[in-house]
Amino acid sequence: MANTKADDGENEFDHAVETAVVTGAAGSVGSWVTDRLADDGVEVVGLDLNLPEGTRSNAHFRSVDLTEQGPTWETIHEIDPDAVIHCAAISGPLDDPGTRVYENNVMSTYNTLVAAGRADAEVVWTSSQAVYGPLFAAEPWVPDDLPIDEGTELRPEDPYGTSNAAGEEIAAMVARRYGVSVTTLRPTSIYTPGEYRARPQREGFDLSSAELSGNFWSYVDVRDVARMAEAALAADLPGHEVFCCTADENHLGHPTAELIEATGHDLPADHGLSGDESAFSNAKAEELLGWEPAVSWRGVEEETSSHPEWL
């Protein structure tokens, strides 16, 4: 791992992006992406239903309902950005009706990505590990191969995962039709500073009574998600590329294979899991983007702030 500190040093962004649109800019992921790009000197226009109360240098905000095609297309056409980073979504499928989750996520992704393609803007957007299926599944199950990577079959079992799978088809279509670079990020469960204490307490974890976690206890820090979005813009890869976005290790500190077996589930015969490494592979991101996770739960559990200071 690169390091275990929340501050991963100076930004190393090196790409001709002067203006970027960030959707969901007041949300838990979009706000950190906005923060990082603004630190890079990029002029950020943040789109969200709710405008932030604070102000941020190099950033200003507009209230837009991304499920409405007209306002979304008009806004992105007017801004004419070099890049669009789409982070807006309903990500709590257990808190909203499935129809609302699916319709909101698919329509907002379609409207935003097509508008970006028409503006000849580079695109990065956040899908989810939920496209693989075990997360929010009706019954717990383990994929045929571990660790999970970008080639693992997509088998979503819920409206949220299915909306992201549909979004990935939209992403591929936009790359083909408009000839722009489109990068899909598939984060595992995203932790933000200050949330780590609220996660399952490792000290009280009982392996003998453990139940299978749909994310296989994998996670990624929100600042590392923002760093991957930044790395994708810098790489400017042609066509549509997909990357798993995960920390190197699970958040319990136990061997991952041992955790899965303890829940009564069989491991693939030739699995490649070693120690507490994540059940999701970030090897492709390291190879093509030069990205490695910089933040581990081991170094940031005492943090208390959950949002950028300006939010």
Side-chain angles (χ1 to χ4, degrees):
M1 172 168 294
N3 65 62
T4 57
K5 297 180 180 180
D7 182 0
D8 57 311
E10 296 295 326
N11 292 9
E12 299 179 355
F13 185 72
D14 183 18
H15 188 46
V17 173
E18 297 182 1
T19 304
V21 165
V22 177
T23 71
S28 59
V29 176
S31 60
W32 289 98
V33 172
T34 295
D35 212 38
R36 186 151 189 108
L37 291 180
D39 280 346
D40 291 331
V42 176
E43 287 296 323
V44 178
V45 181
L47 308 184
D48 208 303
L49 279 174
N50 302 308
L51 298 179
E53 296 181 1
T55 59
R56 192 355 172 146
S57 59
N58 286 6
H60 62 279
F61 303 89
R62 300 188 186 186
S63 177
V64 179
D65 184 346
L66 300 174
T67 65
E68 297 181 359
Q69 181 191 51
T72 303
W73 285 22
E74 176 186 7
T75 301
I76 292 177
H77 175 76
E78 178 184 336
I79 297 167
D80 191 23
D82 301 306
V84 173
I85 301 88
H86 178 49
C87 305
I90 295 178
S91 57
L94 304 180
D95 300 325
D96 291 270
T99 49
R100 180 182 300 164
V101 171
Y102 185 83
E103 290 176 357
N104 177 87
N105 292 353
V106 173
M107 291 308 302
S108 62
T109 299
Y110 178 86
N111 291 339
T112 301
L113 269 58
V114 170
R118 290 163 63 93
D120 196 32
E122 186 173 353
V123 176
V124 178
W125 79 288
T126 51
S127 180
S128 168
Q129 63 174 335
V131 296
Y132 292 114
L135 190 67
F136 309 122
E139 296 292 337
W141 59 277
V142 178
D144 295 334
D145 296 295
L146 290 172
I148 296 165
D149 63 20
E150 292 79 7
T152 300
E153 181 185 5
L154 305 189
R155 296 172 54 190
E157 292 192 21
D158 71 288
Y160 175 62
T162 305
S163 74
N164 280 289
E168 294 193 14
E169 290 298 324
I170 293 168
M173 177 272 289
V174 167
R176 288 191 297 266
R177 184 174 182 86
Y178 299 102
V180 297
S181 171
V182 182
T183 302
T184 293
L185 311 185
R186 291 177 183 162
T188 50
S189 296
I190 299 173
Y191 286 12
T192 60
E195 281 193 336
Y196 285 83
R197 291 182 179 182
R199 300 298 174 180
Q201 296 298 307
R202 278 158 288 279
E203 295 80 4
F205 180 75
D206 185 357
L207 194 62
S208 66
S209 59
E211 296 182 358
L212 186 65
S213 166
N215 63 6
F216 306 104
W217 307 275
S218 296
Y219 77 101
V220 64
D221 190 277
V222 68
R223 290 160 291 190
D224 280 333
V225 179
R227 288 179 55 249
M228 186 179 281
E230 175 188 62
L233 291 176
D236 193 19
L237 299 172
H240 177 226
E241 290 286 351
V242 180
F243 296 95
C244 293
C245 184
T246 181
D248 286 333
E249 74 290 330
N250 67 54
H251 63 70
L252 288 181
H254 289 272
T256 305
E258 181 180 327
L259 286 167
I260 293 173
E261 288 185 314
T263 64
H265 291 81
D266 294 330
L267 288 163
D270 57 349
H271 74 83
L273 297 175
S274 175
D276 67 347
E277 74 169 293
S278 172
F280 295 80
S281 171
N282 55 34
K284 182 181 176 182
E286 180 179 358
E287 177 184 359
L288 295 187
L289 301 180
W291 177 94
E292 294 180 85
V295 185
S296 167
W297 63 264
R298 290 182 169 89
V300 297
E301 283 195 300
E302 299 306 313
E303 291 179 329
T304 57
S305 175
S306 60
H307 302 287
E309 294 181 358
W310 53 269
L311 192 60

